[in-house]
Amino acid sequence: MKAIIYTSVGASDVLELAERPTPAPGPGEVRVRVAISGVNATDWKCRQFGHVQGRLLYPMVIPHHDGSGVIDAVGEGVDRERLGRRVWLWDAAWRRPGGTAAEYVVVPQRQAVELPPDVSYETGAGIGLPAVAAHSCLLAMGGAPTRLGPGALAGRRVLVVGGTGTLGHAAIQLAAWSGAEVIATASHPEQAGRARAAGARQTVDYRADTAAVDVRAAAPDGVDLIVQVAPSAYAEVDQEVLAPAGTVAAYATEGRGRVTLPIAVLMGRNVRYQFVLGATLPAAAKDIAVADVAAAVATGALTVGADSGLPVLRFPLARTADAHDAVQAGSAGKVLVDVATL
C-alpha cells in the first residue's frame, strides 16, 4: 500500500511517500480502506517534536488519528457483517505506529464508527479528535449533564473562543445541538459569518478593549462555560465574563503558556478551570463522547464544509507535507488528505 511515513522528528520534509506492507487485522480489529485522512495540530506537533521528550515511540510512524473509509477486513471476534460498512475513525495513531495517512489502516473495532449513508466521507474525516475534545470541554462545567443531546444544555450560556477553528467549530455545533445559548469570538465579518453558520447566536471580538462589555451585553449574568483556545492570553477577560460557579475549559497550550489566577477572587466565585486533551481522556469518557458525536452526525447537527462554517482545504496523499504546513500555519478551515476514491 501507499503510505506517508516518517522515521525522525523534524519539519514537514521528514514526511515521505512510501510503499508499505498492507496490514492485517488482529483479534478485535478491523482494517479500513481509507478514503480521506484528517489532519490536526496534534499530527504536526508529534512529527516536529516527537511523542515523548523529543523522540518517537516507534522506528517508523504513519501519521494522523482521524479519517473515513470502508471496512474491508475483520479480525477474529469481529462480526463479519461489518465488512463493507462506511466508517469514521478516531485515535487511529494513538499509541500505535500506523495512522490514517495510508491506503489501509488497522484499528480496534470500537474506533471505527458507522458513517450514515447520507453523510460524506469529508465530514467523517473531519470529526474525530476535535469533536471528542469539544465534547469533553462542554461537559466540564459544574452541574453539567453526563451526556450531550437535544435539550441537555438548555438554559446554559457557552462562550467559544476560537470558534472558527476545528475544535471551536465542533464545540459550537455540539453546544447548539444540545440547546445551549452560544456566543463565539470573531475578529472580522468573515469569521463572524462562519461562527453563525455553525450555530452561534452572537459573536464578539475577543481582542477588542470592549470584549468583556460586549460579552456581558450578550449574557448579562455572565457565561456558564468558556471553551478556551488561549487561556493565558485571555485569562483576565475570562474572569470578567464568567458567571458565578462558571468554568473555563482550556484545550490549547499557547506553546509554553502559563495562566496566572487571582485565587481569592476565583475561590469566592467558585470558578473552575478544566484542562482538556482529547487523546489522554479516560477510555470511558471517549466512548461516551464518540456515542454522542455519532448521534449528532446522524442527525446532521455536526458536519464540515463551507455551509456549516468550516471550509475544507484538500490535498492529495503525496502532498501531505503541504497539508501539515497548512495546519501549522493556522489555515482557516479543516485540512483533509485525499487517499482513495471509494
Side-chain angles (χ1 to χ4, degrees):
M1 68 175 184
K2 291 182 173 62
I4 295 296
I5 66 169
Y6 61 98
T7 57
S8 63
V9 298
S12 62
D13 58 5
V14 301
L15 298 172
E16 59 178 298
L17 182 64
E19 289 285 343
R20 299 298 304 161
T22 301
E29 296 180 330
V30 297
R31 184 175 69 197
V32 176
R33 187 181 179 197
V34 179
I36 302 176
S37 178
V39 189
N40 297 296
T42 297
D43 299 315
W44 73 259
K45 290 177 181 179
C46 287
R47 184 214 72 227
Q48 183 158 319
F49 303 115
H51 301 146
V52 178
Q53 297 179 340
R55 62 182 177 83
L56 302 178
L57 290 177
Y58 309 98
M60 186 203 71
V61 175
I62 298 172
H64 303 175
H65 293 283
D66 298 342
S68 59
V70 173
I71 294 175
D72 83 318
V74 299
E76 181 182 348
V78 180
D79 190 339
R80 290 188 60 82
E81 288 191 2
R82 297 207 70 189
L83 287 168
R85 297 294 180 88
R86 302 168 77 248
V87 293
W88 60 273
L89 304 166
W90 58 276
D91 269 8
W94 175 241
R95 295 179 177 171
R96 302 169 67 86
T100 65
E103 291 180 313
Y104 295 91
V105 64
V106 167
V107 296
Q109 62 171 322
R110 65 188 271 270
Q111 290 171 223
V113 185
E114 188 152 343
L115 188 65
D118 58 341
V119 177
S120 68
Y121 286 120
E122 187 176 78
T123 287
I127 302 168
L129 275 177
V132 169
H135 181 281
S136 184
C137 288
L138 292 171
L139 293 187
M141 72 180 92
T146 57
R147 303 289 295 266
L148 293 182
L153 298 181
R156 302 292 188 134
R157 296 149 299 181
V158 175
L159 171 65
V160 180
V161 181
T164 55
T166 54
L167 190 148
H169 177 265
I172 292 173
Q173 289 194 314
L174 289 171
W177 175 60
S178 298
E181 179 183 320
V182 184
I183 305 165
T185 64
S187 57
H188 53 76
E190 188 271 337
Q191 283 189 344
R194 288 172 53 196
R196 286 194 171 91
R201 196 192 72 174
Q202 298 187 57
T203 61
V204 297
D205 185 348
Y206 224 50
R207 299 181 303 178
D209 294 339
T210 58
V213 173
D214 295 339
V215 173
R216 283 287 186 172
D221 296 326
V223 296
D224 301 299
L225 172 70
I226 300 173
V227 180
Q228 182 57 269
V229 68
S232 175
Y234 297 125
E236 291 186 10
V237 181
D238 287 350
Q239 293 155 28
E240 290 184 54
V241 303
L242 274 175
T247 300
V248 176
Y251 63 89
T253 62
E254 300 168 277
R256 297 183 180 276
R258 294 177 179 271
V259 181
T260 301
L261 304 175
I263 297 173
V265 173
L266 299 184
M267 183 181 293
R269 296 172 59 202
N270 286 287
V271 164
R272 69 170 66 186
Y273 270 73
Q274 174 71 53
F275 294 89
V276 174
L277 180 62
T280 57
L281 288 169
K286 288 185 180 181
D287 286 341
I288 290 173
V290 168
D292 290 351
V293 166
V297 170
T299 63
L302 183 61
T303 185
V304 303
D307 290 345
S308 70
L310 189 67
V312 171
L313 183 61
R314 304 176 79 146
F315 295 86
L317 186 63
R319 291 183 57 203
T320 297
D322 293 333
H324 276 222
D325 290 343
V327 174
Q328 187 171 355
S331 173
K334 182 64 187 181
V335 175
L336 301 176
V337 171
D338 290 310
V339 180
T341 301
L342 301 182

